[in-house]
Amino acid sequence: MALRRTLGFASALAGLVLATAALAQPLSLPASKESRKVAVVVERGITHTRQLRSAELRRLRKRMVGGLPMREADLRRLAEARDGLAALRMVKLLRPRGLEAHASDIAWYASIAAGAGRASMFDDFVGALYLLDPASEPRGRVSQYIRVLYPHVWAGNSMAQDALIALNGADKLFGPMSEATRSRIVQDGGARMVLSLAMTDLGRGDLDAAGLTRVTGYLDVAERKGDLPIRTMARTLRQSADARLRTLEEN
């Protein structure tokens, strides 16, 4: 019964990949709750008042830690100084105003907080990334997002892995995926991530023979490394990729 369900899901998934090819929509695979909670400290930042060089910032941090009222502008100053607590409070301040309307600031401050080890901010960080406009988001902020996201990817956080796959590409927030990143996904990303990369590539309608050949290579890796559901999905998608490759060769 479990095998039939797996085969049925794999067949439906293959159809969904093909049906969404024109839209090039990223597809993500089910993941364990534990894998979404994997956290990494990228930059601890300011954790003690004495670390701040400015006497004014030290005064402001003492007010914040003491629970005294603070102006938003002062809280921003502390967050910009890489104070993880201040960044967390900025996210909580901005969140009720609307994630979409304040996506850039939420992504920015949540990246500082999550990068400092405040794992509760990681959902806000990743959620905001999907709402950012690649054409207008400041490149300095994008570099920060990559610096925080990628270590979570390689540590095995499935939410980070899905975001990396979805946000790399032409006209995407992180731009076209580098060959180095593709290679590391195959080497370190695990079967689920390799399969997700293959699914995303297969969802493109403009793949040439070389691209399809690369996809089948990813599917081979996923089938070799994955558990039963992953292996079954990889085999099913391999059939779709092979069919498209034969069509290209015949034409």
Side-chain angles (χ1 to χ4, degrees):
M1 179 67 71
L3 179 58
R4 286 200 296 271
R5 285 198 298 268
T6 300
L7 288 169
F9 179 72
S11 298
L13 181 60
L16 183 57
V17 169
L18 295 176
T20 57
L23 298 176
Q25 293 294 320
L27 302 173
S28 61
L29 298 162
S32 67
K33 292 182 180 179
E34 291 74 18
S35 69
R36 293 170 58 92
K37 296 178 181 178
V38 173
V40 178
V41 177
V42 177
E43 180 185 8
R44 185 65 72 181
I46 300 299
T47 56
H48 299 285
T49 300
R50 63 177 177 271
Q51 292 175 278
L52 293 164
R53 295 182 180 181
S54 163
E56 175 64 10
L57 288 178
R58 290 196 296 271
R59 183 186 67 80
L60 291 175
R61 192 172 196 279
K62 287 178 181 178
R63 288 186 62 85
M64 177 184 69
V65 174
L68 297 175
M70 290 188 66
R71 296 187 308 159
E72 180 176 330
D74 292 334
L75 193 60
R76 283 182 182 268
R77 288 177 61 192
L78 284 173
E80 294 291 345
R82 301 299 173 124
D83 186 306
L85 177 59
L88 179 149
R89 293 187 178 181
M90 277 300 306
V91 174
K92 289 185 175 181
L93 190 66
L94 293 168
R95 193 190 291 152
R97 301 176 187 174
L99 178 59
E100 188 167 358
H102 299 276
S104 182
D105 277 350
I106 289 175
W108 173 245
Y109 292 120
S111 74
I112 295 172
R118 298 181 182 276
S120 63
M121 291 289 100
F122 196 74
D123 285 15
D124 293 274
F125 168 51
V126 173
L129 291 181
Y130 287 101
L131 299 176
L132 300 178
D133 181 356
S136 61
E137 189 66 12
R139 300 321 296 173
R141 289 193 170 193
V142 174
S143 295
Q144 161 77 2
Y145 305 151
I146 291 172
R147 199 165 66 87
V148 172
L149 185 74
Y150 277 45
H152 287 79
V153 170
W154 310 130
N157 185 300
S158 59
M159 185 187 303
Q161 292 176 345
D162 290 343
L164 183 150
I165 297 294
L167 298 173
N168 273 270
D171 301 321
K172 300 290 185 67
L173 183 67
F174 298 153
M177 185 179 291
S178 69
E179 290 302 320
T181 298
R182 287 180 176 272
S183 295
R184 186 158 185 189
I185 289 172
V186 173
Q187 180 178 342
D188 300 332
R192 178 185 178 277
M193 192 177 185
V194 175
L195 181 58
S196 184
L197 177 60
M199 289 163 57
T200 301
D201 281 356
L202 194 57
R204 292 170 47 194
D206 62 345
L207 278 185
D208 57 13
L212 283 166
T213 299
R214 180 162 63 178
V215 167
T216 59
Y218 295 155
L219 294 171
D220 287 343
V221 172
E223 187 174 350
R224 186 171 68 251
K225 292 183 174 181
D227 57 14
L228 178 59
I230 294 292
R231 293 198 305 271
T232 304
M233 293 178 212
R235 284 195 295 268
T236 302
L237 291 172
R238 174 66 182 266
Q239 294 172 6
S240 298
D242 286 345
R244 286 176 63 178
L245 188 55
R246 285 195 299 271
T247 299
L248 284 177
E249 291 172 345
E250 289 170 359
N251 295 331

